[in-house]
Amino acid sequence: MEKRKLKVEDLFELASVASPKISPDGQEAVFVKTQMNEEENKYVANLFHVDLETNEVSQWTYGNERVSSPAWSSDGKQIAFLSNRDEKNQVYILPRRGGEAKKVTDFGQGVSSFVWSPCGKKIWVNASVKEGQSFTDKEEKNEKKKPEPYRVTKMKYQMDGVGLIPQDSYRHIGIVDIESGDVTQITEGNHQYSLMAVSHSGDNIVFGVNRAENQDYEFRQPLYLADVHSKEETALIDEEGYYGGVAFSNDDQYIAFVGADRTFQNATQSELYVYDRENKSRTCLTENLDAPVGDSVVADLQQGTSAPSVVWTETNDLYFRLSTMGDVRLYYASLEGAIYPASPENEHIYDYEVSRDGEFAVVAVSNAINPGELYKQTIATGERQVLTAFNKEYIEQVELVEPEAIVYQGAKGWDVHGWLMKPVGYEEGEKYPLIVEIHGGPAAMYANTFFHELQLLAAQGYGVLYVNPRGSHGYSQEHVNAVRGDYGGGDYEDIIAGLDYAIEHNDWIDTERLGVTGGSYGGFMTNWIVGHTNRFKAAVTQRSISNWISFFGVSDIGYYFNEWQHGADMNDVETLWNFSPLKYAKNIETPLLILHSENDLRCPMEQAEQLYITLKSMGKETELVRFPDADHNLSRTGLPNLRIARLNEITGWFEKYL
């Protein structure tokens, strides 16, 4: 059968399979399948079940909303999950033997997260509460409510994806009695508490909180172990940086967690720590691994992932993920210091769960030509059984391009890793245009994972080059830190060196038809590139930065990000201006399409407006497309119709100029 080319609208056909949770007896699992609904212009996610003995898959919920964060009770008789079927996320419980899901919470501001109590009769919850109110208090619905002024007294007053942060709302921890519905608030005060874990005995919880009154320059979340009965607290870690992903060992003697200090500010690699409750000591298990713990991948398909940061087995072995060399791999660690990979290269494990006995894992795996499915992997042998096949028919029908991995010499003679895709329908001896894609972050990475946008460009007849220049995660602490104070320096050289390498080794690349695009940091770099070279015949900049001076005051992270990344604030505007693509606007001769979300508070709309008006006033070839009801994450989690429109804008611009 002749395969068809991938289309923009294929986003509606692809399924994201994630959040596998293994039952306590290891015989079954539940997971969440998410798809975009074109008719209703939203994401729909439902709960599924798989028998791990027979591999039989069945659907357990059929709503037209979103289910997330499934979790088994300790006796395996019930599954709790979050659902927004009543607008805001609430906790529901579904009996293992079937029946209707019972709504357990009815909180005014919904539920952020939850953890089962080991007794199975209570649920610990994390939810926002307005000052002076309780979890269950609700605002009166008044359609004619008048707008009110918002007084700003702090620097951290807005957040991308949230908007203006409610000033009188605080996240607290509570416990819900499932049978009676009674809710008890455990924490108090005007602080933001993050519920992390509950001990297997039920006597302790771990939470994160920073109780400093002024949070403007607080970039830390200490972790505390608290006695449920006496409320006595013990600090697990109280240092600069963010820590979380907590898990108690099965005997409750050890507490594992992950996090990163601020040695290299936000470019510091995450580590895996273990706290020994008996001798009150803390050990870093990954100090000899020069790669970040967790998932640093940028992609555009996976939805609803809730991968644990670390999983204990009953013999006190640990499993976690590591982002390394373009892969996200499952790793094993022992308390004695043994540590090694437990999954193959050239793939992206974007979610996982390990059985209590450590015999097997259920892994959600993607690679460049597989959107992602669930597999049961035997730990000892690495052997895998396919559990789901939601995207199997799609793969059989659509021609997907397997990228070629490349390694070349970048700035300072450093090795740089990337990938090159040939266009669909490639024929020897023909010439094809090439598009360079640049990821955001910059502390993130392209990976051996399915990326619809990259496959779309290849399907439209373009070669695609995407690399991990300095500043990217997965290649050492030195590599990810090297971009700080050098935006547009070594990173620019790395990208251009990758282009030169691709051209030198592939005579099919038409050097007169080169395009470049990227978002966020990739948008900054797109702007920078076209201001420093005319090699590209078309460019699309997305959710970009053009002016670091104004970014300082308008971005939700600007006032500290500039200092962290450029070593400069408003006392040194010359440095910020020298790093700003807007300074070099007069040099831009490349036709530039500017895509930007109107609700983007990370790289606010004015960044696009400044660039557009400046270029227009200079008579340059440019257009600006604004996306309403969209924030910084448009390309990954935005409204389906806007995601489709965005891809059509990108491909339309390149079609016009390449």
Side-chain angles (χ1 to χ4, degrees):
M1 183 183 75
E2 186 176 342
K3 293 189 174 185
R4 69 166 176 85
K5 291 182 180 181
L6 179 144
K7 300 179 295 187
V8 173
E9 294 78 15
D10 285 1
L11 279 175
F12 293 113
E13 294 189 31
L14 292 162
S16 178
V17 193
S19 296
K21 302 298 173 188
I22 301 170
S23 62
D25 63 10
Q27 294 181 4
E28 52 192 322
V30 292
F31 62 91
V32 175
K33 175 192 168 204
T34 306
Q35 281 192 276
M36 284 169 37
N37 183 308
E38 184 173 11
E39 187 176 332
E40 298 197 32
N41 199 33
K42 66 181 183 180
Y43 298 82
V44 173
N46 277 295
L47 187 68
F48 282 71
H49 172 271
V50 57
D51 186 311
L52 296 176
E53 304 298 317
T54 65
N55 293 352
E56 183 182 351
V57 173
S58 54
Q59 187 168 345
W60 272 14
T61 68
Y62 290 86
N64 207 20
E65 305 300 330
R66 293 194 80 158
V67 163
S68 62
S69 307
W72 293 86
S73 59
S74 58
D75 61 7
K77 292 182 179 179
Q78 301 176 94
I79 297 97
F81 56 88
L82 294 176
S83 174
N84 66 346
R85 61 184 66 177
D86 289 328
E87 293 187 15
K88 295 179 180 176
N89 264 343
Q90 305 289 353
V91 179
Y92 291 78
I93 291 180
L94 192 63
R96 163 63 189 87
R97 296 300 172 193
E100 283 293 313
K102 175 185 176 182
K103 187 177 180 182
V104 176
T105 62
D106 191 17
F107 290 4
Q109 298 192 57
V111 176
S112 304
S113 64
F114 71 90
V115 179
W116 276 99
S117 174
C119 66
K121 297 178 180 178
K122 297 179 179 181
I123 296 265
W124 288 85
V125 290
N126 210 178
S128 292
V129 185
K130 281 205 168 186
E131 190 175 4
Q133 295 187 354
S134 71
F135 286 124
T136 54
D137 287 336
K138 297 182 180 180
E139 289 186 10
E140 292 183 21
K141 290 189 176 180
N142 184 351
E143 294 180 6
K144 295 183 179 179
K145 187 176 181 181
K146 297 177 182 178
E148 298 177 356
Y150 179 95
R151 184 181 305 280
V152 177
T153 58
K154 300 173 182 176
M155 297 172 82
K156 288 182 182 175
Y157 71 91
Q158 60 179 348
M159 184 183 297
D160 185 64
V162 174
L164 295 175
I165 299 172
Q167 295 180 323
D168 59 350
S169 184
Y170 301 92
R171 193 171 58 250
H172 282 288
I173 297 169
I175 193 162
V176 181
D177 185 292
I178 294 171
E179 187 173 337
S180 68
D182 292 342
V183 183
T184 304
Q185 185 173 319
I186 304 299
T187 54
E188 56 187 29
N190 294 344
H191 309 296
Q192 305 291 349
Y193 287 87
S194 297
L195 174 64
M196 297 289 178
V198 178
S199 67
H200 296 279
S201 68
D203 294 326
N204 299 95
I205 63 171
V206 174
F207 59 80
V209 66
N210 184 326
R211 296 188 175 107
E213 186 174 341
N214 185 342
Q215 300 275 330
D216 286 343
Y217 285 98
E218 289 288 321
F219 305 104
R220 56 194 283 135
Q221 180 177 253
L223 296 181
Y224 296 95
L225 171 67
D227 185 291
V228 170
H229 312 290
S230 69
K231 303 293 196 304
E232 182 182 350
E233 296 177 8
T234 302
L236 298 182
I237 189 165
D238 186 2
E239 298 175 2
E240 289 293 310
Y242 290 97
Y243 302 91
V246 179
F248 282 87
S249 61
N250 282 271
D251 59 8
D252 284 339
Q253 181 180 342
Y254 303 100
I255 302 171
F257 59 93
V258 301
D261 61 30
R262 285 183 53 207
T263 304
F264 305 96
Q265 302 297 12
N266 60 322
T268 310
Q269 295 180 147
S270 294
E271 305 276 11
L272 171 61
Y273 299 89
V274 172
Y275 178 86
D276 186 330
R277 294 178 65 185
E278 189 174 330
N279 57 31
K280 298 184 178 178
S281 65
R282 187 174 70 240
T283 305
C284 177
L285 291 185
T286 54
E287 61 183 350
N288 293 321
L289 289 177
D290 197 1
V293 172
D295 188 341
S296 302
V297 171
V298 289
D300 60 1
L301 180 65
Q302 283 92 33
Q303 299 282 334
T305 58
S306 58
S309 295
V310 58
V311 173
W312 290 93
T313 69
E314 59 193 7
T315 54
N316 284 350
D317 292 324
L318 304 97
Y319 288 88
F320 62 97
R321 292 177 303 159
L322 194 77
S323 293
T324 172
M325 301 295 290
D327 294 326
V328 177
R329 303 179 69 181
L330 188 65
Y331 263 68
Y332 161 89
S334 73
L335 292 174
E336 290 73 38
I339 192 162
Y340 52 79
S343 70
E345 297 179 328
N346 299 318
E347 64 180 25
H348 174 202
I349 293 189
Y350 61 89
D351 217 332
Y352 77 104
E353 175 84 302
V354 179
S355 63
R356 187 174 294 180
D357 60 13
E359 293 293 319
F360 70 93
V362 174
V363 287
V365 184
S366 174
N367 60 41
I369 54 174
N370 181 353
E373 300 289 356
L374 293 185
Y375 303 84
K376 180 182 179 182
Q377 176 179 319
T378 303
I379 297 291
T381 65
E383 181 186 355
R384 283 179 179 171
Q385 293 174 270
V386 178
L387 295 180
T388 66
F390 293 109
N391 295 303
K392 182 174 183 286
E393 189 175 323
Y394 179 85
I395 293 173
E396 291 171 348
Q397 293 176 352
V398 177
E399 187 170 355
L400 301 173
V401 177
E402 179 97 57
E404 171 198 352
I406 61 172
V407 177
Y408 61 92
Q409 296 276 294
K412 299 180 182 176
W414 289 11
D415 282 349
V416 181
H417 179 215
W419 295 264
L420 179 65
M421 299 172 73
K422 286 188 172 81
V424 170
Y426 168 83
E427 293 183 8
E428 198 77 37
E430 294 293 317
K431 290 280 191 180
Y432 297 92
L434 178 76
I435 294 172
V436 177
E437 281 262 6
I438 308 169
H439 68 65
M445 71 178 191
Y446 281 128
N448 291 301
T449 194
F450 187 84
F451 209 134
H452 172 266
E453 180 179 327
L454 305 184
Q455 291 286 347
L456 173 66
L457 292 174
Q460 300 225 343
Y462 304 104
V464 185
L465 174 68
Y466 53 110
V467 304
N468 285 326
R470 65 201 58 219
S472 303
H473 260 314
Y475 300 91
S476 79
Q477 182 64 77
E478 184 181 20
H479 185 90
V480 68
N481 188 57
V483 76
R484 294 176 61 228
D486 191 37
Y487 275 49
D491 49 355
Y492 169 72
E493 293 179 51
D494 285 351
I495 293 166
I496 297 301
L499 175 62
D500 291 338
Y501 177 90
I503 291 170
E504 181 185 349
H505 293 84
N506 297 273
D507 57 10
W508 56 265
I509 297 174
D510 186 345
T511 56
E512 295 302 309
R513 291 190 291 162
L514 301 176
V516 60
T517 185
S520 196
Y521 163 80
F524 156 82
M525 186 51 70
T526 299
N527 296 341
W528 184 270
I529 284 172
V530 296
H532 287 77
T533 178
N534 291 327
R535 293 179 67 177
F536 295 91
K537 295 301 180 283
V540 181
T541 185
Q542 307 167 54
R543 55 186 186 280
S544 74
I545 295 157
S546 64
N547 183 351
W548 291 108
I549 297 173
S550 62
F551 178 86
F552 182 93
V554 295
S555 168
D556 61 349
I557 62 172
Y559 72 91
Y560 57 86
F561 189 87
N562 274 358
E563 176 65 36
W564 290 1
Q565 294 294 300
H566 308 308
D569 58 17
M570 294 302 282
N571 293 308
D572 184 7
V573 295
E574 184 177 354
T575 293
L576 296 179
W577 185 237
N578 288 337
F579 281 128
S580 297
L582 198 63
K583 175 180 177 178
Y584 311 97
K586 64 181 181 295
N587 302 331
I588 296 177
E589 302 297 336
T590 307
L592 181 64
L593 176 64
I594 304 168
L595 306 181
H596 220 98
S597 298
E598 294 192 349
N599 297 342
D600 190 337
L601 295 179
R602 186 61 36 86
C603 301
M605 188 74 217
E606 59 86 33
Q607 293 286 311
E609 292 169 333
Q610 288 187 71
L611 183 60
Y612 171 72
I613 292 298
T614 299
L615 293 178
K616 269 295 188 185
S617 72
M618 294 176 172
K620 309 288 188 179
E621 188 71 25
T622 187
E623 291 181 17
L624 168 63
V625 180
R626 304 170 64 118
F627 293 85
D629 301 323
D631 57 28
H632 197 63
N633 285 304
L634 167 63
S635 64
R636 299 176 283 267
T637 59
L639 287 169
N641 75 302
L642 295 180
R643 289 183 63 182
I644 297 297
R646 168 187 166 272
L647 290 170
N648 282 328
E649 290 290 345
I650 295 169
T651 55
W653 191 259
F654 286 131
E655 183 180 8
K656 180 178 179 180
Y657 289 100
L658 297 186

